Amino acid sequence: MKSSYLALRSRASAFAAVITAVVVLGVHNVPSAHAAGEQVGRIRGVVTDTNGVALPGVTISATSAAMIGDPRVTFSDEGGRYEIVNLPPGIYTIEFAYPGTDPNQRQASVRMGEAVALNVTYVLTASAAGSVELVEARSLTRPDSTHTGSIRGMGSLNRLPTVRSYQNVAQQVPGVSGSANPNIKGGSSGQNKYLIDGMDVTDPVTGTFAMNLSFDAMEALEVLTGGTDAEYNALGGVINIVPRGGGDEFTASVSTIVNHYKLSLPANYGANIYEGEQPFNESKLGPDASYEFAANVGGPIIKRKLWFGVSYQFNWTDRSLVKGSPLGLPPYDIQHPSRRYIGHMPRFRLDYAPTAKLRLRLSGNADPASIDNITETNRLLGVAETLQKQGGHFVQLRGDYLINDNFTATVLTGYAYSGLEIGPQGWLGDVGYAGCEKFSMDSMGYVNCRYSRDRPRHVNTIDSTQWYQGTNYRTDDRHRIQLDPSLSWRGTWFGRHNAKVGLQLQYLWRTREQKTPGGSVYEDASPTRQMLEEGLCDPSTPQKVNCSRRVDIDSYSIESRGWAGGIFLQDHWWTPLQWLTVNPGVRFDVGVTMNRNAEGRF
């Protein structure tokens, strides 16, 4: 079977701005180019004397354990203004030095996508010995940005009683609702963008998240709920993750979480703590359990030149149904195999500063996982269960070159893969045979105690029980190659600017296949309304008793490809007046989808 359909959508996006409107042009029915997320912050301010007169020539330097390479140094201009850009999130020591005075220091916390306002007033005496007053403007909003949303750092996340995943942390931000794929400010769950280390890891088919990340490997999480720039190309929200890297000191952390059902309250306790034990509640717990182990190590290979950071997380979760069925259906009083999730989340990152102006970053992430007995119902035995293998990986290289105080060139390129493999439990893994001996036998023994890939699936439509075989075998593999070059400019022209122009290019391809075990599915209906295995048909007998319908399903495969290009121009911070900030932007997108015969459509 051939298909020219690639489930990728392009969007004509609108981007809010302060005072001025943002111009946007989109092309429909093509894949949309995605964005590299803002991974850095900046510190800015004004240096004046006690009379409010600007002081030019003040030396301002920034140092931090979060920053690789030499300290960042700049000077206040003729208007006393200064700005230090491209600062990774972290705690910074800012030193102000003026001729004839002792240097003065102040600490500031930099967060990605934000500007820390640090204004300085020097009080000078005739002897040139002086003091400095630092004024940091704290605002409940982002006065230099149209964005709404919030940033969560690991300093606060480690103290919150939340599920240990970035998907659940995002739900703490006002305007975010739903599940792991949330609805943000009225947008659908398929309209969000997910970025890890600047790499777009959004599922290109569904628009949902396609990559997990170790909770302890996160440095910060930014959730933009509205007013996103043209750079992001998002109709919904943006979930932007900055993972941990290394530093000039070796660090290591290990955590483990164990939760076993024997350590938990029994099921007859109410849903809320204040309800306590309910003596007439006879609910039971299945044998559930979960285990988590995480480790992070980081440090210098060459101090102030080359850092490394690695992390790993292992998850094991067993979720079981209560033994038996309240409807009296199979497997009688048999404990159904538990739904078992086993996941691995390794990650690495290298940061390198070969010169004072060049920064390089190589990082990668993977999240392979398997889920056994995913159907999880007492209407079938283990031999008819389903197994799902999922996960993906990405690797990306980013380079930032500080051309001068006004221009920075950035190139980000990477490859991302995500895939699903779903099929019968016996096809892909081990089968739980508990209770199989209670049912039919043939010359080789109990039929339900062995798995055959060639045996068709049978469904008893009288009681909806399912027998002998799991679901169809399916694979779905998705690939993306991404290239995002950009140029940032900071300067003064009818006000101060922090502008960026960039290209966002990507090439995608997807392959799918499906096979039906035995080539057929039987839907059986006994005239005498027999239940369980007794109501199934036996196609080998001449009478074919209980046979109602057989559906033959051919195997097939699908391949589709697409490419997209986007260009944007965004001024993140234009201040024509001291009290006015404007964020204009414009974007254009184009792309094409193709089938395996290279037949395409724009």
Side-chain angles (χ1 to χ4, degrees):
M1 181 181 294
K2 301 176 182 179
S3 172
S4 62
Y5 174 69
L6 177 62
L8 302 171
R9 294 169 298 172
S10 68
R11 305 170 178 92
S13 305
F15 303 93
V18 178
I19 304 299
T20 63
V22 177
V23 181
V24 177
L25 175 64
V27 182
H28 290 278
N29 299 319
V30 298
S32 58
H34 298 252
E38 189 69 30
Q39 302 290 299
V40 295
R42 60 190 188 273
I43 299 173
R44 61 180 175 84
V46 181
V47 185
T48 60
D49 63 15
T50 54
N51 296 318
V53 178
L55 288 178
V58 176
T59 304
I60 304 105
S61 63
T63 59
S64 172
M67 184 178 64
I68 192 171
D70 298 326
R72 302 284 177 85
V73 180
T74 189
F75 300 92
S76 59
D77 62 15
E78 294 180 356
R81 293 179 177 271
Y82 73 93
E83 183 179 12
I84 308 175
V85 298
N86 292 329
L87 299 177
I91 304 298
Y92 284 78
T93 298
I94 314 302
E95 183 175 275
F96 297 86
Y98 196 67
T101 68
D102 293 329
N104 289 266
Q105 294 182 342
R106 175 68 183 272
Q107 281 196 334
S109 178
V110 174
R111 304 199 298 181
M112 56 186 176
E114 293 188 358
V116 177
L118 206 59
N119 297 326
V120 176
T121 300
Y122 267 100
V123 182
L124 301 175
T125 64
S127 62
S131 63
V132 61
E133 178 184 359
L134 307 180
V135 181
E136 179 180 357
R138 297 186 179 273
S139 176
L140 297 177
T141 61
R142 300 180 179 184
D144 61 345
S145 173
T146 61
H147 300 165
T148 60
S150 182
I151 297 176
R152 298 287 189 264
M154 283 304 296
S156 62
L157 293 180
N158 282 328
R159 295 191 293 269
L160 294 177
T162 180
V163 177
R164 291 169 56 82
S165 70
Y166 71 83
Q167 296 93 333
N168 288 89
V169 171
Q171 297 176 40
Q172 300 175 15
V173 176
V176 180
S177 62
S179 58
N181 291 297
N183 303 99
I184 298 180
K185 286 287 185 72
S188 75
S189 60
Q191 293 178 327
N192 303 319
K193 290 288 185 296
Y194 298 85
L195 307 166
I196 297 180
D197 231 352
M199 183 79 178
D200 187 349
V201 294
T202 312
D203 191 298
V205 178
T206 63
T208 56
F209 82 89
M211 184 69 63
N212 292 302
L213 178 70
S214 172
F215 185 82
D216 289 343
M218 289 195 303
E219 181 68 36
L221 172 72
E222 179 184 34
V223 180
L224 301 180
T225 59
T228 54
D229 297 329
E231 178 180 1
Y232 288 99
N233 193 23
L235 283 177
V238 177
I239 298 177
N240 182 20
I241 305 162
V242 174
R244 287 183 178 180
D248 272 343
E249 296 182 359
F250 283 100
T251 60
S253 65
V254 175
S255 66
T256 182
I257 299 175
V258 176
N259 183 17
H260 193 273
Y261 78 102
K262 289 186 177 180
L263 303 176
S264 303
L265 292 173
N268 62 343
Y269 273 74
N272 301 296
I273 296 178
Y274 61 81
E275 293 180 285
E277 186 176 5
Q278 300 173 334
F280 299 104
N281 183 348
E282 298 181 357
S283 299
K284 298 180 180 179
L285 282 178
D288 296 350
S290 63
Y291 310 95
E292 178 184 306
F293 171 82
N296 292 272
V297 180
I301 299 175
I302 303 174
K303 282 198 171 185
R304 304 210 65 81
K305 286 289 185 180
L306 180 61
W307 296 349
F308 81 95
V310 294
S311 65
Y312 171 74
Q313 180 170 317
F314 171 76
N315 289 88
W316 176 303
T317 302
D318 276 350
R319 188 178 70 193
S320 300
L321 297 171
V322 177
K323 187 166 63 173
S325 168
L327 301 178
L329 297 176
Y332 299 126
D333 201 29
I334 301 167
Q335 179 62 57
H336 188 76
S338 63
R339 182 186 189 274
R340 175 167 296 169
Y341 172 90
I342 299 177
H344 307 268
M345 285 177 274
R347 174 172 174 77
F348 78 92
R349 175 169 151 177
L350 292 172
D351 291 276
Y352 182 42
T355 68
K357 293 187 175 183
L358 180 61
R359 307 287 186 272
L360 298 174
R361 175 183 298 167
L362 176 67
S363 64
N365 192 79
D367 64 341
S370 64
I371 309 175
D372 292 89
N373 306 305
I374 196 171
T375 309
E376 197 182 21
T377 172
N378 280 324
R379 295 180 181 271
L380 49 82
L381 293 168
V383 74
E385 261 289 2
T386 299
L387 187 150
Q388 176 173 310
K389 295 182 179 181
Q390 64 185 39
H393 53 265
F394 80 80
V395 61
Q396 64 116 320
L397 177 64
R398 175 176 178 142
D400 294 278
Y401 184 70
L402 307 177
I403 301 173
N404 52 41
D405 290 340
N406 299 103
F407 290 95
T408 301
T410 299
V411 176
L412 185 148
T413 184
Y415 164 77
Y417 161 80
S418 62
L420 290 172
E421 184 180 22
I422 306 172
Q425 182 72 34
W427 188 317
L428 298 175
D430 298 325
V431 174
Y433 290 112
C436 60
E437 73 282 355
K438 294 188 177 184
F439 299 94
S440 66
M441 294 182 62
D442 60 14
S443 60
M444 299 178 62
Y446 291 102
V447 175
N448 287 285
C449 287
R450 64 181 188 273
Y451 175 77
S452 173
R453 183 178 292 191
D454 298 325
R455 180 186 299 158
R457 179 185 182 96
H458 282 255
V459 179
N460 187 331
T461 58
I462 301 301
D463 58 15
S464 299
T465 55
Q466 303 160 37
W467 300 84
Y468 309 147
Q469 186 64 261
T471 186
N472 294 335
Y473 173 81
R474 308 187 301 276
T475 63
D476 194 333
D477 297 307
R478 305 154 192 184
H479 310 259
R480 175 194 286 119
I481 296 176
Q482 179 178 334
L483 176 63
D484 296 336
S486 62
L487 180 66
S488 299
W489 170 66
R490 297 164 298 279
T492 56
W493 185 64
F494 295 105
R496 296 179 63 86
H497 298 266
N498 185 1
K500 180 187 283 190
V501 60
L503 289 172
Q504 293 170 353
L505 309 171
Q506 62 175 324
Y507 180 72
L508 309 100
W509 68 98
R510 179 190 187 190
T511 57
R512 291 184 291 164
E513 67 170 329
Q514 176 170 306
K515 299 176 182 178
T516 300
S520 303
V521 175
Y522 285 84
E523 297 177 3
D524 303 333
S526 168
T528 57
R529 299 189 63 79
Q530 290 176 290
M531 301 177 68
L532 310 181
E533 195 177 23
E534 295 298 323
L536 302 182
C537 101
D538 183 0
S540 64
T541 62
Q543 295 83 8
K544 295 184 174 57
V545 179
N546 301 334
C547 291
S548 175
R549 184 171 71 161
R550 187 185 77 187
V551 180
D552 296 329
I553 305 174
D554 294 333
S555 300
Y556 68 86
S557 64
I558 296 175
E559 180 179 336
S560 47
R561 298 175 181 269
W563 61 265
I567 183 171
F568 70 90
L569 173 61
Q570 180 73 52
D571 198 337
H572 296 287
W573 180 46
W574 173 31
T575 54
L577 301 172
Q578 178 91 16
W579 49 268
L580 177 64
T581 299
V582 184
N583 297 90
V586 62
R587 180 184 185 92
F588 302 89
D589 284 284
V590 65
V592 66
T593 60
M594 298 170 288
N595 64 10
R596 68 177 69 192
N597 296 324
E599 298 167 340
R601 175 182 177 185
F602 277 91

